[in-house]
């Protein structure tokens, strides 16, 4: 799987606000890195630039030799953001099927059932987003992001509305899945506990513009 190399990566918004100052950072292939830092420090901007959803004003992102746009086009990259952008007229299953179709992957109903169960939505595969709680919608978005078996997974506070019990279950199950698949994962979170439970490495950013102020290896023996 590809790693991610950010070189001199910077973002100044058109209104002059410097969200990310030139940042050099490498994320190892197949590892999970949690990104923590105060609200507004530039975490989402960084993630969106890596996802190819925001144009850097300086520097570059290299994903195993390719720019983000190509990785996105080849459906090797999935994102799940705070605001789960599910299509409202499609069921949970329908949303996952669409992601698979766009990624040119085959639709295997039993695989979808397994993912829906993993995120604790068994029995809700045929519900539409409006029938689900905010936390359930976030879990559906996580299932959709995992369905295409991306090599790169970018998560921006994906558990914000998820209840504590499910969150704990996900913190157990997701690292196992990522490890089995060799997924390179970046996780933006406000929770240091979550960062420790889910990741191999934690990067702490300073208040805006984002600079790395701590870079910690997590060595947690997972059951
Ligand atoms: P977060 O929860 O990650 O801090 P924000 O609340 O800062 O997210 O931003 C939510 C959305 O609003 C993002 O898509 C971001 O691009 C947009 N946004 C945030 N601040 C501004 C701004 N000053 N001008 C325009 N859009 C903004
Ligand atoms: P974080 O995810 O750490 O909360 P963001 O990356 O969302 O931080 O935002 C970093 C800074 O950039 C904030 O001050 C935010 O208001 C600003 N910002 C985010 N998106 C935009 C935008 N589209 N236009 C202008 N400013 C933005």
């Amino acid at each position: 799987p590809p790693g991610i190399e950010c070189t001199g990566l910077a973002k100044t918004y058109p209104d002059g606000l410097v969200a990310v100052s030139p940042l050099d950072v490498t994320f190892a292939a197949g590892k999970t890195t949690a990104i923590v830092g105060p609200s507004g420090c530039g975490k989402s901007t960084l993630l969106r630039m890596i996802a190819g959803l925001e144009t850097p004003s300086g520097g570059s992102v290299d994903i195993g030799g390719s720019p983000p746009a190509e990785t996105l086009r080849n459906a090797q990259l999935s994102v799940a953001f705070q605001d789960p952008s599910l299509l409202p007229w499609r069921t949970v299953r329908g949303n996952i099927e669409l992601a698979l179709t766009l990624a040119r992957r085959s639709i295997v109903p039993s695989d979808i059932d397994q993912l829906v169960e993993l995120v604790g939505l068994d029995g809700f595969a045929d519900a539409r987003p409006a029938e689900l709680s905010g936390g359930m919608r976030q879990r559906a978005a996580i299932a959709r992001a995992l369905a295409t078996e991306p090599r790169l997974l970018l998560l921006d506070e994906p558990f914000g509305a998820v209840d504590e019990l499910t969150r704990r279950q996900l913190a157990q199950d997701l690292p196992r899945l990522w490890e089995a698949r060799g997924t390179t994962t970046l996780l933006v979170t406000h929770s240091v506990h979550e960062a420790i439970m889910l990741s191999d490495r934690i990067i702490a950013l300073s208040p805006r513009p984002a600079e790395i102020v701590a870079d910690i290896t997590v060595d947690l023996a997972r059951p």
Side-chain angles (χ1 to χ4, degrees):
I4 305 167
E5 196 173 344
C6 304
T7 311
L9 190 61
K11 180 68 184 185
T12 302
Y13 282 108
D15 59 4
L17 185 136
V18 182
V20 180
S21 63
L23 194 68
D24 293 305
V25 61
T26 301
F27 301 104
K31 298 287 182 193
T32 299
T33 305
I35 301 171
V36 301
S39 195
C41 77
K43 302 181 295 294
S44 303
T45 303
L46 175 63
L47 227 59
R48 289 202 303 265
M49 289 195 287
I50 292 171
L53 302 172
E54 184 94 69
T55 312
S57 43
S60 62
V61 179
D62 178 296
I63 301 171
S66 306
E70 195 171 312
T71 313
L72 199 57
R73 199 162 48 237
N74 294 338
Q76 293 175 344
L77 187 150
S78 278
V79 301
F81 289 168
Q82 210 167 358
D83 168 26
S85 52
L86 300 168
L87 294 178
W89 59 88
R90 281 183 173 250
T91 62
V92 170
R93 183 185 300 281
N95 270 279
I96 294 173
E97 286 175 350
L98 179 65
L100 287 166
T101 302
L102 291 175
R104 286 179 234 97
R105 306 286 300 242
S106 52
I107 292 169
V108 183
S110 59
D111 287 357
I112 297 180
D113 291 339
Q114 226 173 346
L115 267 180
V116 166
E117 192 184 329
L118 178 89
V119 298
L121 285 181
D122 12 343
F124 292 93
D126 299 309
R128 282 172 217 285
E131 303 169 72
L132 303 175
S133 72
M136 292 165 96
R137 284 199 285 270
Q138 283 190 326
R139 281 141 63 189
I142 293 168
R144 179 180 59 180
L146 295 171
T148 54
E149 301 192 14
R151 290 170 2 131
L152 218 68
L153 179 64
L154 306 181
L155 305 170
D156 194 347
E157 297 200 44
F159 313 119
V162 175
D163 63 280
E164 184 60 34
L165 203 65
T166 310
R167 208 188 289 211
R168 236 183 285 170
Q169 191 60 52
L170 286 173
Q172 292 218 332
D173 295 341
L174 291 179
R176 276 190 218 140
L177 184 76
W178 296 336
E179 202 170 322
R181 291 180 175 182
T183 315
T184 308
T185 306
L186 298 188
L187 166 74
V188 166
T189 175
H190 276 302
S191 161
V192 171
H193 179 252
E194 205 167 275
I196 292 169
M197 293 304 291
L198 284 151
S199 68
D200 304 301
R201 176 187 178 197
I202 302 176
I203 282 180
L205 299 179
S206 64
R208 189 176 61 77
E211 275 182 67
I212 295 173
V213 290
D215 191 342
I216 302 154
T217 301
V218 180
D219 192 4
L220 184 69
R222 293 199 178 86

